[in-house]
Amino acid sequence: GNSVTQMEGPVTLSEEAFLTINCTYTATGYPSLFWYVQYPGEGLQLLLKATKADDKGSNKGFEATYRKETTSFHLEKGSVQVSDSAVYFCALGTGTASKLTFGTGTRLQVTL
Amino acid sequence: GAGVSQSPRYKVAKRGQDVALRCDPISGHVSLFWYQQALGQGPEFLTYFQNEAQLDKSGLPSDRFFAERPEGSVSTLKIQRTQQEDSAVYLCASSLASPGGAETQYFGPGTRLLVL
């Protein structure tokens, strides 16, 4: 079956530090890959997505590249801000319904 | 336009009580999904509708869980004879596309259910 593994948190960084949150997946077929973010007190929001191998998704300074050879979709940002503090979920979608399979989430805390 | 809305936002139920959770998707969205998110975990798929048809209910954990979307818009997730293990946040998501696409799913704020 499908599964997503992401690095455990919490991740604590100082403002302007470089961020990497690792995500690897197992899937049948050719999944689409997503990063969702959940800010405190808010619902899940799509951060970025990639639908085929070697695609790069990007948004708000975040990037992730769909790597089929390593079955990975690591999230990166060059300079984090306090406002990036949130829980980040890696997810994949396959099949006719495109239902999403999520990782367990990684909490990011950015301090001044 | 409005996003996905869910009600109630919080629900406390006594064990054995029946509950009904409502989801109002974005207008015009064909696909509707329900997910269950336990504390500290990622959301897990429960069921999927395309318009009024429930095409996938493979994630429903038991026959106490029932979902419907009779007119292809609003959906209700019903849990009968609630148990403590049902305590979780129930998320609803909708998307514009029919199955097979990689369309973005838009999530509601969730209903936090606590079963005592």
Side-chain angles (χ1 to χ4, degrees):
Chain A
N2 297 339
S3 67
V4 174
T5 303
Q6 43 180 127
M7 62 188 290
E8 291 189 15
V11 174
T12 302
L13 295 174
S14 298
E15 199 170 43
E16 299 183 3
F18 184 84
L19 169 71
T20 299
I21 300 178
N22 290 337
C23 172
T24 58
Y25 67 89
T26 302
T28 54
Y30 301 95
S32 296
L33 300 173
F34 305 83
W35 277 101
Y36 278 83
V37 59
Q38 190 168 36
Y39 297 103
E42 298 184 17
L44 280 169
Q45 303 173 25
L46 178 69
L47 181 60
L48 53 84
K49 70 178 183 182
T51 58
K52 61 183 187 295
D54 300 325
D55 270 2
K56 177 185 286 187
S58 61
N59 186 27
K60 299 181 180 180
F62 291 88
E63 293 182 340
T65 301
Y66 187 160
R67 301 289 189 197
K68 186 179 178 182
E69 63 275 13
T70 54
T71 62
S72 66
F73 193 54
H74 305 320
L75 182 68
E76 297 182 335
K77 186 175 185 182
S79 177
V80 293
Q81 305 299 310
V82 172
S83 57
D84 294 326
S85 298
V87 181
Y88 293 81
F89 292 92
C90 185
L92 67 83
T94 63
T96 56
S98 294
K99 61 189 178 186
L100 297 176
T101 300
F102 285 87
T104 56
T106 302
R107 181 175 299 278
L108 171 65
Q109 181 69 46
V110 181
T111 60
L112 291 172
Chain B
V4 178
S5 61
Q6 294 186 244
S7 60
R9 292 292 309 277
Y10 303 92
K11 177 69 178 178
V12 179
K14 293 182 179 179
R15 187 161 54 96
Q17 186 178 356
D18 296 350
V19 298
L21 312 180
R22 177 187 170 104
C23 172
D24 282 83
I26 294 171
S27 178
H29 276 197
V30 170
S31 298
L32 186 146
F33 302 80
W34 283 98
Y35 295 86
Q36 180 190 59
Q37 185 176 17
L39 189 63
Q41 301 297 313
E44 293 193 355
F45 170 79
L46 293 177
T47 187
Y48 160 73
F49 291 85
Q50 180 189 355
N51 295 306
E52 69 279 4
Q54 188 175 19
L55 298 185
D56 187 345
K57 53 182 181 179
S58 61
L60 296 176
S62 78
D63 59 7
R64 296 186 295 105
F65 287 71
F66 171 76
E68 61 183 3
R69 193 185 184 198
E71 298 179 358
S73 179
V74 171
S75 177
T76 304
L77 176 67
K78 298 179 180 178
I79 309 174
Q80 298 177 323
R81 305 181 304 281
T82 52
Q83 303 295 313
Q84 287 184 323
E85 62 263 28
D86 300 335
S87 296
V89 176
Y90 290 85
L91 298 171
C92 176
S94 69
S95 69
L96 185 60
S98 295
E103 293 295 325
T104 299
Q105 291 186 25
Y106 296 87
F107 282 81
T111 294
R112 185 176 298 274
L113 173 65
L114 176 62
V115 181
L116 301 177

